[in-house]
């Protein structure tokens, strides 16, 4: 996501309570390929337990147990990471090459991302590698419906790991996958119980090109998920090269007013004046420095944008892009409006 | 460092990303940077005039946002522009607002 290649990638491991974060972390740490990882664990509660479950306690493991990462201890997070880095540079601990932060199950991952991306010291030494979310196959669908924290964790994840698939039938697993795909249509999804799972695929930095269905599209809506305040994913293609200056004005304007409800924006843009694609990633008001990729993933040179929205209609986004001159006449707002009329935008309450 | 407040550097905004390997930015040199700022001012003004506001560049280092009556705010980058604009006009500036988009449609003049 970020582009300071000399810095240390931070992988944020998130997921709702009991979704298998610590189990996944334990598997990662047992893998010799990840032995050079520092770990920071945040637990909600006064007595931390997760670090005991990992079977490894050393100086590269830090426990933050004084509250939930997103609401009370952002300063402590920055301090803990600075301390780790300081010890690393002084040779007091091994020179870890990545940092894994396991958040509490109740945490909104965004403040941790913002802390790492914006802290005056951390931003020069660390970069966000990827957000990895675990989703419990047994309870995942219900949790996504009832717990807004879970929904947001899944929505902004760069990698999704489905856990406990061995404890339920295939139908339940498919239902969870369907529910997850509505709010996060393109991030790679892995089955933690699949013997073929290569953990190196999970703990890898975000660089996957965005794959979109053709045309302006909205996710399908499973029956029974039509409620008032909705979370939905929305993708679109832009035929002509994007005016970067104008796009910057539009997106900053949108995020200023609606950032709380733009859970995620991802884009692979054909920017006017450059032959190579520009990758854009944003989480609510926070947009990472855009990345200039070396080549297009395929012959399609159209810009691709994905929005994960909460209570914002996709038609209003495409209408606005059109009015700003960023969507051409080949993608009139009426197309999106017509699709909206079929109710494809309203997903979760 | 800011000479007035002593703050080291400023927060990097994605539209003004530092020029470094792998990053996409128009901030690649003095001429490119000034050209991008000039174009940003032109395009921003075509949006801001719908709210009675105007934007100007001050020595390539900051922007000056003004009302017709002379109220002004200094803004460093686009992260601060729209919040400052809302404070000056005293109402939301919403790119999804239908009335605003209708006016923008009628002018069809965002592209110079």
């Amino acid at each position: 996501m970020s582009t300071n290649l000399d810095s240390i990638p931070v992988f944020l491991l998130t997921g709702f309570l009991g979704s298998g974060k610590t189990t996944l972390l334990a598997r990662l740490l047992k893998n010799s390929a990840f032995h050079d990882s520092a770990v920071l664990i945040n637990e909600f509660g006064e007595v931390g337990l997760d670090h005991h479950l990992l079977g490894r306690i050393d100086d590269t493991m830090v426990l933050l147990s004084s509250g939930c990462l997103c609401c009370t201890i952002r300063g402590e997070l920055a301090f803990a990471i600075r301390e780790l880095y300081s010890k690393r540079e002084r040779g007091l601990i091994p020179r870890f090459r990545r940092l894994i932060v396991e958040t509490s199950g109740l945490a909104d991952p965004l403040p941790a991302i913002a802390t790492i991306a914006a802290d005056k010291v951390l931003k020069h030494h660390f970069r966000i590698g990827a957000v990895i979310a675990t989703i419990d196959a047994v309870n995942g669908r219900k949790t996504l419906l009832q717990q807004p924290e879970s929904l947001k964790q899944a929505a902004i994840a760069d990698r999704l790991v489905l856990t406990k698939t061995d404890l339920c039938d295939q139908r339940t697993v498919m239902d969870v996958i369907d529910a997850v795909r509505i709010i996060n249509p393109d991030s790679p999804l892995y089955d933690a119980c699949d013997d073929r799972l290569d953990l190196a695929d999970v703990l890898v930095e975000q660089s996957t090109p965005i794959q979109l269905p053709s045309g302006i599209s909205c996710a399908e809506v499973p029956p029974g998920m039509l409620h008032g305040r909705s979370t939905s994913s929305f993708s679109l293609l832009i035929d002509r090269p994007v005016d970067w200056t104008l796009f910057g004005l539009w997106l900053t304007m949108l995020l200023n007013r609606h950032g709380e409800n733009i859970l995620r924006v991802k884009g692979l843009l054909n920017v006017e004046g450059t032959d190579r694609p520009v990758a854009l990633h944003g989480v609510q008001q926070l947009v990472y420095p855009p990345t200039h990729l070396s080549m297009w993933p395929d012959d399609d040179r159209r810009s691709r944008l994905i929005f994960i929205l909460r209570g914002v209609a996709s038609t209003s986004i495409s209408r606005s892009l059109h009015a700003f001159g960023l969507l051409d006449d080949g993608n009139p707002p009426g197309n999106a409006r017509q699709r909206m009329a079929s109710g494809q935008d309203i997903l979760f309450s | 460092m800011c000479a007035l407040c002593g703050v080291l550097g400023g927060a990097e905004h994605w539209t003004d990303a530092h020029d470094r390997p792998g990053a996409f930015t128009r901030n690649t040199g003095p001429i490119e940077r000034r050209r991008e700022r000039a174009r940003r001012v032109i395009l921003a003004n075509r949006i801001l005039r719908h709210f009675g506001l105007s934007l100007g560049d001050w020595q390539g280092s900051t922007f000056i946002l003004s009302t017709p009556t002379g109220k002004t705010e200094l803004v460093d980058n686009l992260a601060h522009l729209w919040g400052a604009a809302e404070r000056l006009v005293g109402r939301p500036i919403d790119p999804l607002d239908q009335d605003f988009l209708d006016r923008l449609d009628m002018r069809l003049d965002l592209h110079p």
Side-chain angles (χ1 to χ4, degrees):
Chain A
M1 289 184 188
S2 179
T3 51
N4 184 358
L5 298 177
D6 295 329
S7 55
I8 300 164
V10 179
F11 295 90
L12 216 60
L13 180 56
T14 185
F16 201 65
L17 298 167
S19 64
K21 294 184 298 296
T22 307
T23 307
L24 180 66
L25 182 57
R27 278 180 67 183
L28 287 166
L29 295 180
K30 280 176 191 159
N31 190 317
S32 59
F34 305 118
H35 71 279
D36 49 359
S37 304
V39 178
L40 201 151
I41 299 172
N42 167 225
E43 283 198 79
F44 187 73
E46 291 185 0
V47 180
L49 181 66
D50 277 3
H51 62 305
H52 294 301
L53 303 176
L54 292 172
R56 172 188 138 180
I57 298 177
D58 57 32
D59 289 340
T60 59
M61 186 169 290
V62 177
L63 181 71
L64 301 176
S65 59
S66 55
C68 182
L69 196 62
C70 67
C71 21
T72 57
I73 58 164
R74 273 178 255 171
E76 191 179 337
L77 172 70
F79 180 77
I81 299 177
R82 286 185 197 191
E83 276 291 295
L84 268 176
Y85 185 76
S86 172
K87 286 180 182 173
R88 175 186 186 267
E89 294 304 296
R90 286 182 285 152
L92 299 177
I93 59 174
R95 289 183 67 80
F96 57 88
R97 292 176 55 206
R98 70 182 66 76
L99 172 63
I100 304 172
V101 178
E102 182 194 347
T103 70
S104 87
L106 294 170
D108 173 353
L110 179 65
I113 296 172
T115 297
I116 294 159
D119 182 272
K120 287 187 188 314
V121 174
L122 297 184
K123 70 181 182 183
H124 297 294
H125 302 295
F126 293 88
R127 64 183 187 268
I128 299 295
V131 178
I132 301 156
T134 53
I135 294 158
D136 170 1
V138 179
N139 300 310
R141 193 170 185 277
K142 187 176 162 191
T143 307
L144 286 169
L145 281 166
Q146 296 179 348
Q147 306 292 346
E149 298 90 352
S150 165
L151 194 70
K152 192 163 177 187
Q153 289 162 355
I156 70 169
D158 302 305
R159 303 274 182 282
L160 297 155
V161 181
L162 210 54
T163 62
K164 307 181 188 178
T165 54
D166 54 340
L167 301 179
C168 57
D169 57 34
Q170 189 64 19
R171 174 66 189 271
T172 308
V173 172
M174 293 313 295
D175 284 348
V176 175
I177 292 174
D178 287 344
V180 169
R181 279 308 183 206
I182 293 167
I183 51 170
N184 192 331
D186 73 316
S187 293
L189 190 148
Y190 303 97
D191 180 353
C193 300
D194 187 341
D195 295 335
R196 295 165 298 179
L197 173 65
D198 184 354
L199 292 172
D201 291 335
V202 178
L203 210 65
V204 67
E205 287 191 64
Q206 164 72 28
S207 61
T208 311
I210 293 165
Q211 303 293 335
L212 286 187
S214 58
I216 295 177
S217 65
C218 302
E220 294 292 334
V221 182
M225 287 190 172
L226 301 177
H227 296 284
R229 190 169 170 77
S230 62
T231 297
S232 63
S233 62
F234 163 62
S235 57
L236 57 82
L237 295 167
I238 302 174
D239 290 332
R240 70 162 175 239
V242 170
D243 181 324
W244 180 249
T245 313
L246 187 55
F247 182 78
L249 285 162
W250 177 80
L251 187 58
T252 53
M253 198 176 178
L254 178 72
L255 296 180
N256 173 67
R257 181 100 312 263
H258 297 282
E260 287 293 315
N261 296 315
I262 311 285
L263 298 182
R264 191 80 201 256
V265 55
K266 308 181 204 182
L268 191 66
L269 301 177
N270 182 346
V271 173
E272 250 174 24
T274 178
D275 294 332
R276 296 185 286 137
V278 175
L280 192 77
H281 288 275
V283 181
Q284 294 190 305
Q285 283 98 342
L286 177 70
V287 178
Y288 299 102
T291 309
H292 212 178
L293 302 182
S294 56
M295 62 171 68
W296 285 89
D298 50 40
D299 293 334
D300 192 346
R301 295 292 183 267
R302 290 176 296 181
S303 298
R304 309 139 205 217
L305 276 172
I306 291 179
F307 293 91
I308 298 176
L309 308 166
R310 181 172 57 199
V312 177
S314 57
T315 43
S316 59
I317 299 278
S318 51
R319 163 88 179 99
S320 182
L321 280 166
H322 193 262
F324 273 74
L326 288 160
L327 263 185
D328 62 19
D329 292 337
N331 285 330
N335 284 359
R337 205 176 279 143
Q338 199 171 359
R339 288 169 186 268
M340 277 291 293
S342 65
Q344 290 184 333
D345 198 49
I346 303 168
L347 305 171
F348 287 94
S349 60
Chain B
M1 179 185 288
C2 170
L4 295 175
C5 56
V7 174
L8 271 172
E12 180 187 21
H13 190 249
W14 64 274
T15 55
D16 292 314
H18 300 320
D19 187 19
R20 57 185 175 233
F24 176 77
T25 180
R26 295 263 167 84
N27 200 4
T28 53
I31 294 173
E32 293 79 4
R33 183 171 168 275
R34 293 299 284 260
R35 184 184 293 134
E36 176 67 10
R37 287 179 69 88
R39 190 153 186 279
R40 188 175 292 171
V41 167
I42 292 169
L43 292 179
N45 276 325
R46 292 179 185 187
I47 301 168
L48 289 166
R49 69 185 180 198
H50 293 279
F51 304 93
L53 296 171
S54 64
L55 188 72
D57 185 12
W58 189 78
Q59 298 197 354
S61 63
T62 192
F63 297 104
I64 302 175
L65 183 63
S66 307
T67 69
T69 57
K71 274 202 295 187
T72 60
E73 277 211 32
L74 299 180
V75 289
D76 285 337
N77 54 43
L78 293 185
H80 305 136
L81 172 62
W82 303 111
E86 289 183 338
R87 281 193 297 278
L88 286 177
V89 299
R91 60 190 168 97
I93 292 183
D94 186 355
L96 305 184
D97 178 71
Q98 194 63 43
D99 293 338
F100 163 60
L101 294 179
D102 286 344
R103 294 201 304 275
L104 211 57
D105 266 347
M106 283 188 286
R107 296 184 181 236
L108 288 176
D109 59 0
L110 275 169
H111 281 283

